[in-house]
């Protein structure tokens, strides 16, 4: 969520016009309710590329896919839409956060790694402060 907020605040990620009406997969019945879903998906894609270099659209379709409800017939796995993954990749490439991998797929650039690490450290330090405050509250309650 924090990296998605960073992408939104930067204003460099171009959002397609169809994001308000498109479904994220064929097995979904409705489009996402969150208006910022495209930023969240882009941040999640960047994280996946960060964790595993060379990941492509096909494998990401499997990761973001899910179960299709076929009524009384058994459920099966369906892949997610390739279009929104591909467009998010293109936007991240334009921002120079990821690049094409020589062996296929995508890889994270040094700028993308720097931004992801910076935001992750900010989130980590904020959570540590929140944990310390919670411990202080528990200690104060225990003393009373």
């Amino acid at each position: 969520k924090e990296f998605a907020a960073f992408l939104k605040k930067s204003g460099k990620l171009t959002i397609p016009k169809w994001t308000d009406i498109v479904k994220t997969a064929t097995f979904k019945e409705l489009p996402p309710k969150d208006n910022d879903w495209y930023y969240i998906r882009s941040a999640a894609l960047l994280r996946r590329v960060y964790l595993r270099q060379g990941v492509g659209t096909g494998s990401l379709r499997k990761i973001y896919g899910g179960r299709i409800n076929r009524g009384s017939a058994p459920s099966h796995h369906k892949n997610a839409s390739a279009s929104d993954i591909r467009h998010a990749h293109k936007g991240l490439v334009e921002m120079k956060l990821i690049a094409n991998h020589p062996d296929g797929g995508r890889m994270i650039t040094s700028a993308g790694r720097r931004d992801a690490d910076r935001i992750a450290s900010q989130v980590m330090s904020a959570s540590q402060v929140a944990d310390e405050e919670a411990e202080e509250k528990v200690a104060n309650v225990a003393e009373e």
Side-chain angles (χ1 to χ4, degrees):
K1 292 266 186 179
E2 297 298 324
F3 200 81
F6 165 75
L7 291 174
K8 186 175 183 178
K9 192 171 97 175
S10 71
K12 295 179 182 175
L13 184 64
T14 56
I15 299 204
K17 295 177 182 176
W18 44 258
T19 56
D20 57 339
I21 58 171
V22 72
K23 299 189 304 182
T24 56
T26 56
F27 61 89
K28 300 280 186 178
E29 292 184 9
L30 296 170
K33 293 178 183 175
D34 189 0
N35 291 334
D36 295 335
W37 74 268
Y38 192 79
Y39 294 109
I40 295 169
R41 177 61 59 97
S42 298
L45 290 172
L46 182 85
R47 179 182 172 274
R48 288 285 181 177
V49 172
Y50 183 94
L51 294 175
R52 189 171 143 210
Q53 304 286 322
V55 67
T57 304
S59 59
L60 288 170
R61 287 184 69 196
K62 290 177 190 155
I63 291 168
Y64 290 109
R67 184 174 53 180
I68 184 169
N69 182 3
R70 301 187 329 142
S72 60
S75 300
H76 288 291
H77 177 82
K78 286 288 264 188
N79 291 341
S81 171
S83 177
D84 57 344
I85 294 172
R86 213 174 25 252
H87 280 85
H89 270 165
K90 288 178 184 178
L92 293 171
V93 167
E94 287 174 7
M95 291 180 69
K96 296 184 174 50
L97 296 177
I98 62 174
N100 290 334
H101 195 276
D103 296 332
R106 301 288 199 278
M107 65 181 192
I108 195 160
T109 62
S110 59
R113 185 176 300 278
R114 181 189 66 228
D115 288 342
D117 289 342
R118 180 175 47 85
I119 291 171
S121 66
Q122 289 173 358
V123 169
M124 187 67 155
S125 64
S127 69
Q128 287 174 348
V129 169
D131 289 343
E132 291 172 1
E133 290 174 357
E135 289 175 7
E136 289 176 14
K137 288 181 181 178
V138 169
N140 290 340
V141 170
E143 290 174 2
E144 295 175 359

